[in-house]
Amino acid sequence: MRRAVFPGSFDPITLGHYDIIERGLTLFDEIILAIGINADKKYMFSLEERTRFMKEAFKNEPRIKVMTYKGLTVDFCRTQNAQFILRGLRNPGDFEFEKAIAHTNRKMSEIETVFLLTSSGKSYISSSIVRDVIRHGGDYTGLVPDTVRVNK
Ligand code: ADP
């Protein structure tokens, strides 16, 4: 069983994440979408909202699980018997950032990080841009799965 953890903040999940997850399902038997809990970070959506958006988006896909975790991603992978971390790459900035994390994780564990390049047309989407659009009352619906809706 090839099991991967896709860690992130998912504040909120976007069509960029969705694309990486769908394509990841061709490589792995199971993917755990793991929402990292960081007490120092301010989020737009609560943990409950972020979890619900993600669970609903994949409610018809039994090979996707949504979980939350605290602490090191590699420790969480071990508790879940996951051999892989899945991450997406949009641009050289992502690459530099992700490279350092992947090397560090590899130093601490035997877990491999697998990167998928964003599909063309999705590379500009980020949770922070979605949050900006929402904050300023713009139409965010083309950037996120239908399950992400704001009633604020
Ligand atoms: P983090 O806070 O860990 O950066 P995010 O939720 O912002 O968490 O992102 C999680 C993962 O999704 C990262 O690997 C990021 O590169 C990837 N990702 C985000 N947006 C896109 C996108 N548009 N295309 C491909 N990968 C993406």
Side-chain angles (χ1 to χ4, degrees):
M1 160 83 107
R2 284 174 174 260
R3 186 178 285 130
V5 164
F6 184 27
S9 312
F10 303 106
D11 186 30
I13 184 168
T14 68
L15 291 182
H17 297 129
Y18 195 90
D19 170 67
I20 297 293
I21 296 162
E22 275 203 309
R23 288 161 54 218
L25 281 173
T26 65
L27 300 173
F28 303 109
D29 300 306
E30 196 175 290
I31 301 176
I32 299 172
L33 309 183
I35 310 176
I37 301 174
N38 180 346
D40 298 333
K41 234 170 153 175
K42 282 249 172 288
Y43 298 101
M44 172 174 269
F45 294 97
S46 69
L47 195 54
E48 291 68 31
E49 287 173 308
R50 284 179 280 151
T51 306
R52 177 161 48 82
F53 295 155
M54 293 164 76
K55 280 193 172 160
E56 282 176 11
F58 292 100
K59 67 171 188 290
N60 296 323
E61 180 44 81
R63 295 192 294 138
I64 298 282
K65 302 215 158 22
V66 181
M67 298 180 77
T68 60
Y69 75 104
K70 279 186 189 146
L72 292 178
T73 306
V74 289
D75 288 342
F76 177 71
C77 290
R78 287 196 189 105
T79 67
Q80 300 303 316
N81 277 324
Q83 311 90 327
F84 303 96
I85 293 173
L86 174 64
R87 294 286 283 181
L89 291 178
R90 288 165 287 195
N91 50 47
D94 272 357
F95 174 75
E96 289 302 331
F97 179 73
E98 296 288 342
K99 187 173 81 159
I101 297 175
H103 280 316
T104 309
N105 284 338
R106 187 77 189 134
K107 190 121 190 119
M108 293 189 292
S109 74
E110 61 305 327
I111 293 157
E112 288 286 3
T113 303
V114 175
F115 297 103
L116 287 180
L117 278 187
T118 189
S119 296
S120 62
K122 303 266 171 27
S123 64
Y124 71 96
I125 303 176
S126 70
S127 295
S128 62
I129 286 184
V130 170
R131 291 196 299 274
D132 265 353
V133 172
I134 291 173
R135 247 181 235 118
H136 296 103
D139 180 8
Y140 60 92
T141 55
L143 304 171
V144 294
D146 291 346
T147 56
V148 178
R149 288 298 174 259
V150 187
N151 16 331
K152 286 175 185 167

